[in-house]
Amino acid sequence: MILSTHPAFIFVAVPKTGSSSIERSLKGYQDGALSKPFNKHVLAMKLQKELPRVLWEGSYRAAFVREPFDWLHSWYRYRQRDALRNPAHPRHGLDTGQISFDQFALTFADTELMLKQSDFICTHAGELLVNFVGRFESLQRDYVRLCHELSIEAVELPLVNASEKSAAGLPQISDVAKEYVEEYFRQDFELFGY
């Protein structure tokens, strides 16, 4: 999350959407004192509730999203990191190294609180709380559009915190798992046009 007062904008960092790259490029605008109480992936609803109203309403608010199957697959790959395979690692329980993507797709919502991308940037009623929604699939181009909206200089985004990408792309997924994911992320598919 980046909270800037000059220019006035809030970048809501939806995980696994290039948010680390965008944050690094916008870091110079960060107001550290205002941002300190919030974690990186804070929900827009929490910011709306806890920031001074004049700051919230006076800020241009932006976020990026990703195609839901690709987003879920990125989470899966992220949790296949070698470090998580070590039983001594504090987050060892998140390791997906022993299950298929299909199994992960069928069980992720049951085994943890997996938020939808829309949960990060919408009200409970599904109303967008941001002015700008960029796409991971056109990250650099949409980032340049965002910078234009903010009247700031756009830079080439650095590659930061990227999960190792599978050369084969998205793996096969069963019809049952596909239907489950489509239903679970229905709001994301509809709201973001995927």
Side-chain angles (χ1 to χ4, degrees):
M1 189 269 301
I2 297 284
L3 200 160
S4 170
T5 52
H6 296 85
F9 74 87
I10 298 169
F11 171 67
V12 180
V14 177
K16 310 311 292 170
T17 62
S19 60
S20 294
S21 298
I22 295 167
E23 281 184 325
R24 182 169 293 175
S25 71
L26 298 176
K27 197 72 167 165
Y29 298 97
Q30 175 92 331
D31 185 315
L34 285 172
S35 302
K36 193 171 186 174
F38 303 106
N39 69 37
K40 175 178 178 162
H41 298 298
V42 62
L43 303 182
M45 283 190 305
K46 181 176 176 72
L47 291 170
Q48 181 185 37
K49 179 181 175 186
E50 296 185 14
L51 288 174
R53 184 176 178 175
V54 67
L55 179 60
W56 173 260
E57 291 180 358
S59 296
Y60 189 81
R61 300 176 301 274
F64 279 71
V65 295
R66 187 174 188 163
E67 193 281 328
F69 280 103
D70 191 40
W71 191 66
L72 189 62
H73 190 236
S74 181
W75 274 114
Y76 174 74
R77 290 190 320 269
Y78 181 74
R79 293 182 178 180
Q80 288 185 319
R81 292 172 294 157
D82 289 339
L84 293 180
R85 293 199 174 110
N86 180 350
H89 192 283
R91 298 181 122 189
H92 173 69
L94 298 177
D95 178 32
T96 57
Q98 305 303 315
I99 64 171
S100 69
F101 177 60
D102 201 71
Q103 290 172 302
F104 180 70
L106 285 168
T107 60
F108 70 91
D110 296 331
T111 57
E112 62 184 280
L113 294 174
M114 173 67 88
L115 296 175
K116 301 164 194 70
Q117 294 174 87
S118 51
D119 293 334
F120 287 90
I121 58 175
C122 292
T123 66
H124 290 301
E127 296 171 36
L128 271 176
L129 291 171
V130 295
N131 310 101
F132 177 94
V133 179
R135 289 178 176 239
F136 175 82
E137 296 80 12
S138 51
L139 186 64
Q140 182 66 41
R141 184 180 71 224
D142 289 353
Y143 165 75
V144 169
R145 281 184 36 229
L146 172 61
C147 290
H148 177 74
E149 291 290 326
L150 299 174
S151 298
I152 62 175
E153 182 182 354
V155 297
E156 186 71 29
L157 288 171
L159 183 62
V160 180
N161 201 28
S163 302
E164 188 174 313
K165 198 147 188 117
S166 166
L170 284 176
Q172 289 293 103
I173 187 169
S174 69
D175 290 342
V176 171
K178 183 178 181 205
E179 186 176 314
Y180 181 75
V181 171
E182 287 172 343
E183 182 58 34
Y184 189 82
F185 291 113
R186 177 179 303 282
Q187 184 175 7
D188 287 4
F189 280 107
E190 292 174 357
L191 184 62
F192 307 129
Y194 286 111

